[in-house]
Amino acid sequence: MTDVSTQLTRLHNDIQAAATACGRDPGGIRLIAVSKTQPLDKLRDAVAAGQTDFGENYLQEALEKITALQNDALVWHFIGPIQSNKTRDIAAHFDWVHSVDRLKIARRLSEQRPDDRPPLNICLQVNISGEDSKSGVAPAEVADLAAQINALPRLHLRGLMAVPAPADTRAAQRQPFARLRELKDELNNHGCALDSLSMGMTGDLEAAIAEGATLVRVGTAIFGKRTR
Ligand SMILES: *Cc1c(COP(=O)(O)O)cnc(C)c1O
């Protein structure tokens, strides 16, 4: 077995254990392999081990990988900051975008989504820890943005995403994830139909699963440390 396939097996076991520990069905948690800065060979190893969902942060690098792998069964998730001049390629080549935090970007993605593809799956990135430097819409503004995005024809608003500030204890890690879950529930009580919570990375996976994560984005635990 390659390193990557060993790590994937271990991670699936961890996800299963975390889900079982809180009474959740592990089948409700989808693993996104975050492959930013990782060489193509490691992605190929992951595909060979059965991994289908990949997360990328940098558009140019992602397009090269998507082209090189030429595999229609793969599901590509854009999870990095989005500049408006990048929306056309993102709309054309990705299946999900997790990092939408303003209407202008959402409008462009909707307008530029090719007609022969299904609506683009969207998660709104929420600045759940309230950090000045972090991207993401403020929790108080999520409802308005969600309502506006729900009206865009070529997008399918699926849920909320967050990258909380690092925390030391499991209990402290859970707080922002719990807030994100509550925010999703509130939106659904007011007319949204969100089915996704994109939260949990290598360091806070168990906490995110305990609070209802449906999409976990894991890089280091699969591919090892990034070199840049
Ligand atoms: C890099 C990245 C990840 C993966 O982080 P790891 O700690 O390597 O698991 C997840 N989400 C986002 C938005 C990232 O940028």
Side-chain angles (χ1 to χ4, degrees):
M1 283 209 292
T2 63
D3 267 4
V4 168
S5 80
T6 308
Q7 293 306 102
L8 275 170
T9 303
R10 184 174 310 190
L11 191 56
H12 282 297
N13 289 337
D14 290 349
I15 290 171
Q16 184 141 16
T20 308
C22 60
R24 293 189 57 197
D25 171 10
I29 300 160
R30 186 152 153 187
L31 172 62
I32 301 172
V34 175
S35 45
K36 63 178 175 222
T37 81
Q38 301 291 351
L40 209 49
D41 278 351
K42 288 198 179 181
L43 279 78
R44 289 206 172 94
D45 289 346
V47 173
Q51 181 65 30
T52 54
D53 287 69
F54 289 87
E56 288 280 343
N57 297 55
Y58 309 108
L59 180 63
Q60 204 49 47
E61 177 192 338
L63 293 179
E64 284 165 24
K65 289 171 173 170
I66 292 170
T67 306
L69 291 175
Q70 282 293 355
N71 184 338
D72 287 343
L74 301 183
V75 180
W76 293 95
H77 300 254
F78 194 83
I79 63 173
I82 307 173
Q83 297 151 286
S84 43
N85 64 343
K86 304 287 169 67
T87 52
R88 185 173 299 280
D89 277 329
I90 293 172
H93 297 284
F94 284 81
D95 302 287
W96 285 74
V97 181
H98 296 233
S99 41
V100 171
D101 62 2
R102 54 197 205 276
L103 184 60
K104 180 187 176 192
I105 294 296
R107 280 208 180 109
R108 292 176 64 97
L109 290 171
S110 181
E111 283 161 9
Q112 295 168 342
R113 179 67 167 171
D115 288 335
D116 62 343
R117 303 209 56 192
L120 183 59
N121 295 297
I122 300 291
C123 289
L124 295 184
Q125 183 169 356
V126 182
N127 186 355
I128 202 71
S129 306
E131 296 166 278
D132 288 344
S133 61
K134 276 276 171 66
S135 35
V137 57
E141 288 157 21
V142 174
D144 279 349
L145 184 57
Q148 288 168 309
I149 289 180
N150 271 329
L152 297 174
R154 301 290 295 141
L155 302 185
H156 182 182
L157 184 60
R158 298 292 299 269
L160 304 179
M161 176 273 217
V163 184
D168 294 335
T169 65
R170 181 70 52 86
Q173 286 178 344
R174 282 180 67 156
Q175 281 175 17
F177 292 141
R179 282 202 298 278
L180 198 71
R181 172 174 48 74
E182 289 159 8
L183 206 49
K184 169 181 163 268
D185 293 344
E186 276 170 37
L187 293 173
N188 282 349
N189 288 336
H190 291 87
C192 284
L194 307 181
D195 62 10
S196 301
L197 279 173
S198 169
M199 57 191 201
M201 315 185 357
T202 296
D204 53 19
L205 189 66
E206 285 86 0
I209 289 173
E211 294 297 344
T214 65
L215 299 161
V216 293
R217 310 177 311 268
V218 181
T220 310
I222 300 171
F223 298 111
K225 277 216 167 65
R226 288 178 288 273
T227 50
R228 62 183 168 90

